[in-house]
């Protein structure tokens, strides 16, 4: 299976996302922001970073790039798309996911291993989990506060579109402790924490078993393999 | 060259952490009579000439690109003096 990872000017975690795709057993395909070519990939990851230096609003300028025209069209036809951190911000600015992301309520950049609860395990990127699973993956952002108006929030909660919720401490003031969302169809998922940094023992978050042994992020990428096989 | 000024502010009901940080600094300077600070954005769009069509286009841009209606309000679109 070929999974595209888009590089924008200012992307930082594109190589990490490619590595996660490889470790999950798929073939990573580098995609370029300035191109209209999705290269026939079967799923797409929008990686973390600071595209365009967060100018205008985080993700706002990347959302206007040539490749995003194609990503939005493909996503609306059902192509799986995962947005991580800045990728989540790009999905929101592209209107593939609702709401907005603003500066952390305490004003500081956060970098920590973050516990999350998987709320929806019925998406293209979460089906290797069970609903209610508790996982730990890194979180690192300055503008991760999720907001939406009350009506949107009610709809997201009512229709199971909250994919991940922060556990223990709310790290950025996100409403309803929302860490990640899915669209109604379940093919588009976005979250602020970074699953691609928790995919290989020795390089992940600490666990009770051993330092840096956490690989809870790997299931995001094995999920997509499963969901594609199921469709085939 | 004529300039169209677009001003965008974070929504009033939302916390503005950057503005709050400035307000805190003012307080530390003993200027607590400035009890609040909110930080917004000012865009200056240079155009060849201002027409009703260009102004309308600027208003559309202000709503669709220069601001995000979920988190911000466009407070004014006007021709600079």
């Amino acid at each position: 299976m070929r999974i595209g990872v888009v590089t924008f000017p200012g992307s930082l975690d594109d190589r990490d996302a490619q590595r996660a795709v490889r470790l999950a057993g798929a073939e990573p395909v580098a995609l370029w922001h300035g191109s209209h070519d999705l290269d026939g990939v079967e799923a797409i990851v929008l990686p973390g970073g600071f595209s365009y230096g967060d100018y205008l609003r985080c993700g706002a300028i990347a959302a206007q790039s040539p490749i995003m025209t194609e990503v939005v069209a493909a996503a609306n036809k059902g192509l799986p798309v995962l947005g991580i951190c800045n990728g989540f911000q790009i999905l929101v600015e592209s209107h593939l996911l609702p709401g907005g992301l603003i500066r952390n309520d305490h004003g500081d950049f956060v970098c920590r291993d973050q516990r999350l609860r998987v709320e929806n395990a019925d998406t293209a990127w979460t089906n290797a989990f069970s609903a209610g699973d508790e996982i730990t993956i890194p979180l690192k952002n300055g503008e991760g506060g999720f907001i939406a108006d009350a009506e949107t929030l009610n709809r997201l909660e009512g229709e199971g579109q909250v994919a991940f919720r922060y556990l223990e401490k709310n790290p950025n003031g996100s409403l309803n402790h929302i860490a990640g969302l899915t669209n109604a169809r379940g093919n588009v998922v976005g979250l602020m924490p970074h699953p691609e940094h928790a995919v290989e023992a020795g390089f992940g978050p600490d666990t009770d078993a051993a330092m840096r042994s956490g690989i809870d992020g790997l299931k995001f990428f094995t999920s997509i393999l499963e969901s594609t096989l199921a469709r085939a | 060259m004529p300039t169209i000024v677009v001003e965008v502010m974070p929504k009033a009901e939302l916390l503005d952490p950057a503005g709050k940080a400035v307000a805190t600094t003012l307080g530390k300077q003993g200027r607590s009579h400035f009890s609040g600070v909110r930080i917004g954005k000012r865009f200056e769009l240079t155009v060849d000439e201002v027409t009703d069509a260009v102004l309308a286009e600027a208003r559309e841009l202000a709503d669709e690109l220069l601001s995000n209606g979920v988190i911000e309000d466009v407070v004014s679109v006007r021709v600079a003096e």
Side-chain angles (χ1 to χ4, degrees):
Chain A
M1 180 185 185
R2 300 170 76 246
I3 301 178
V5 177
V6 181
T7 298
F8 298 94
S11 292
L12 291 180
D13 298 319
D14 41 347
R15 292 300 182 97
D16 295 60
Q18 291 175 18
R19 166 174 161 269
V21 164
R22 195 178 310 115
L23 287 168
E27 178 192 345
V29 177
L31 298 178
W32 185 240
H33 71 101
S35 165
H36 280 281
D37 185 6
L38 295 182
D39 201 4
V41 296
E42 295 155 87
I44 290 176
V45 179
L46 304 180
F50 297 86
S51 57
Y52 294 92
D54 283 349
Y55 292 169
L56 190 59
R57 297 175 303 279
C58 299
I61 298 181
Q64 304 290 324
S65 62
I67 196 101
M68 284 309 297
T69 311
E70 312 308 323
V71 172
V72 170
N76 285 331
K77 288 182 199 154
L79 189 79
V81 179
L82 174 67
I84 302 167
C85 196
N86 190 220
F88 184 19
Q89 294 163 335
I90 295 169
L91 288 176
V92 166
E93 285 286 347
S94 303
H95 308 296
L96 283 173
L97 292 174
L101 292 151
I102 61 169
R103 194 176 296 268
N104 297 345
D105 58 351
H106 45 74
D108 291 331
F109 193 93
V110 172
C111 184
R112 65 197 303 257
D113 293 337
Q114 177 68 46
R115 281 177 66 71
L116 304 174
R117 186 167 57 235
V118 180
E119 299 283 13
N120 184 334
D122 197 25
T123 79
W125 300 93
T126 60
N127 61 63
F129 295 106
S130 301
D133 278 0
E134 297 186 2
I135 64 173
T136 301
I137 59 177
L139 174 75
K140 44 169 197 171
N141 67 68
E143 304 200 25
F146 179 78
I147 57 159
D149 59 44
E151 187 189 334
T152 304
L153 212 52
N154 283 338
R155 182 168 52 79
L156 290 172
E157 293 286 358
E159 297 183 8
Q161 285 183 245
V162 177
F164 301 95
R165 221 182 289 274
Y166 297 114
L167 287 176
E168 296 160 7
K169 184 181 177 204
N170 184 334
N172 47 30
S174 291
L175 295 179
N176 293 18
H177 300 252
I178 289 172
L181 297 177
T182 175
N183 64 350
R185 193 169 177 171
N187 63 307
V188 178
V189 170
L191 77 168
M192 288 311 297
H194 287 259
E196 82 283 17
H197 294 329
V199 292
E200 184 177 9
F203 302 92
D206 292 345
T207 70
D208 291 340
M211 281 175 68
R212 301 189 184 133
S213 63
I215 57 166
D216 289 344
L218 194 58
K219 284 186 176 175
F220 285 73
F221 303 95
T222 54
S223 289
I224 190 64
L225 293 172
E226 292 298 321
S227 61
T228 308
L229 290 175
R231 273 208 318 275
Chain B
M1 297 278 266
T3 300
I4 298 170
V5 174
V6 176
E7 288 172 327
V8 173
M9 290 297 290
K11 280 191 184 294
E13 65 270 27
L14 292 180
L15 182 65
D16 171 16
K20 196 176 147 198
V22 174
T24 304
T25 299
L26 291 180
K28 285 176 184 161
Q29 290 182 343
R31 302 179 199 271
S32 52
H33 45 292
F34 294 101
S35 56
V37 178
R38 295 184 72 75
I39 301 178
K41 293 175 187 160
R42 171 189 167 109
F43 300 84
E44 297 184 349
L45 310 176
T46 307
V47 292
D48 291 336
E49 60 172 336
V50 176
T51 64
D52 287 348
V54 166
L55 259 180
E57 195 177 348
R59 283 195 192 94
E60 197 180 306
L61 267 180
D63 287 335
E64 291 175 8
L65 177 67
L66 303 182
S67 71
N68 175 346
V70 176
I71 58 179
E72 296 166 320
D73 291 321
V74 176
V75 293
S76 81
V77 178
R78 60 191 161 79
V79 181
E81 295 298 323

